[in-house]
């Protein structure tokens, strides 16, 4: 059976959007950890907004990002969208057909590891449908004070701690699985 892993950047107060606040804390150690996450993945699973943002940025960064960029640009992407049509699929993307939970559950029956980066609405939706196998949360030592929080109002989930470590810059990386 496949596995779905969500990797998220958040502030101490739970904000995840526009993570420009992560820059001062991102170092080679976190870069290596992110490379390991990507290396482990067979495909990306993304929401539309994250897909569009990544699609606009990553192909232009291929030369400066080496093997990481080559993997990011070359791997398949499964995208949850209700607004884009199949003829708009670019960057090795396919759009999930029909009910997203059913489509993702079908993907999960294979042997692939699917990696979610960002895609907060998708993470919340898949959480409500018990489809995420592991959450890898990077908590940055910053309080944003405002902005979109990772967990939507009313989201409830019990998780089991499966590991953690702290980067030299003070970023707490905490892994959780379903309780």
């Amino acid at each position: 059976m496949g596995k779905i892993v969500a990797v998220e950047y958040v502030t101490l107060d739970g904000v995840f959007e526009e993570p420009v606040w992560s820059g001062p804390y991102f170092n080679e150690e976190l870069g290596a950890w992110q490379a390991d996450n990507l290396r482990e993945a067979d495909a990306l699973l993304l929401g539309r907004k994250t897909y569009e943002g990544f699609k606009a940025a990553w192909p232009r960064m291929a030369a400066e990002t080496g093997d990481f960029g080559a993997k990011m640009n070359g791997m398949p992407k499964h995208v949850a969208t209700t607004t884009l049509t199949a003829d708009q699929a670019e960057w090795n993307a396919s759009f999930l057909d029909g009910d997203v939970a059913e489509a993702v559950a079908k993907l999960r029956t294979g042997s692939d590891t699917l990696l979610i980066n960002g895609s907060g609405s998708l993470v919340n939706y898949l959480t409500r449908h018990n489809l995420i196998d592991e959450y890898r949360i990077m908590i940055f030592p910053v309080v944003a004070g405002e902005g979109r929080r990772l967990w939507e109002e009313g989201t409830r989930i019990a998780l089991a701690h499966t590991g953690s470590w702290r980067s030299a810059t003070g970023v707490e990386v905490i892994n959780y699985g379903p309780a």
Side-chain angles (χ1 to χ4, degrees):
M1 178 182 251
K3 179 166 88 167
I4 298 176
V5 177
V7 176
E8 301 295 335
Y9 292 38
V10 298
T11 62
L12 283 171
D13 55 341
V15 172
F16 86 103
E17 74 177 343
E18 303 299 331
V20 294
W21 34 259
S22 67
Y25 303 95
F26 206 87
N27 61 8
E28 287 183 24
E29 179 182 30
L30 290 171
W33 181 76
Q34 282 289 51
D36 288 344
N37 287 325
L38 190 65
R39 195 172 9 267
E40 171 190 326
D42 299 296
L44 293 178
L45 179 58
L46 303 169
R48 180 193 50 85
K49 290 178 188 174
T50 302
Y51 162 72
E52 288 182 324
F54 281 11
K55 178 182 70 147
W58 278 101
R60 289 185 284 160
M61 298 188 304
E64 66 205 55
T65 57
D67 291 342
F68 188 95
K71 170 94 181 205
M72 180 69 92
N73 286 317
M75 69 192 317
K77 288 97 181 161
H78 303 284
V79 182
T81 179
T82 57
T83 58
L84 298 176
T85 58
D87 62 323
Q88 294 174 298
E90 301 175 55
W91 195 51
N92 303 316
S94 62
F95 300 151
L96 301 176
D97 289 327
D99 181 78
V100 171
E102 289 177 15
V104 170
K106 184 176 179 182
L107 286 172
R108 196 168 163 232
T109 63
S111 60
D112 287 353
T113 294
L114 305 174
L115 179 65
I116 304 172
N117 290 116
S119 305
S121 295
L122 179 62
V123 167
N124 277 272
Y125 179 81
L126 296 178
T127 295
R128 288 191 300 275
H129 287 85
N130 299 311
L131 288 169
I132 297 181
D133 300 291
E134 187 174 351
Y135 299 85
R136 298 175 185 169
I137 310 293
M138 300 167 57
I139 304 172
F140 287 78
V142 174
V143 174
E146 63 183 7
R148 186 168 168 215
R149 306 273 190 287
L150 174 59
W151 301 113
E152 294 170 353
E153 187 78 25
T155 300
R156 295 179 188 270
I157 182 172
L159 299 171
H161 180 265
T162 59
S164 59
W165 60 279
R166 179 180 302 128
S167 76
T169 58
V171 177
E172 297 285 340
V173 179
I174 305 174
N175 296 356
Y176 295 102

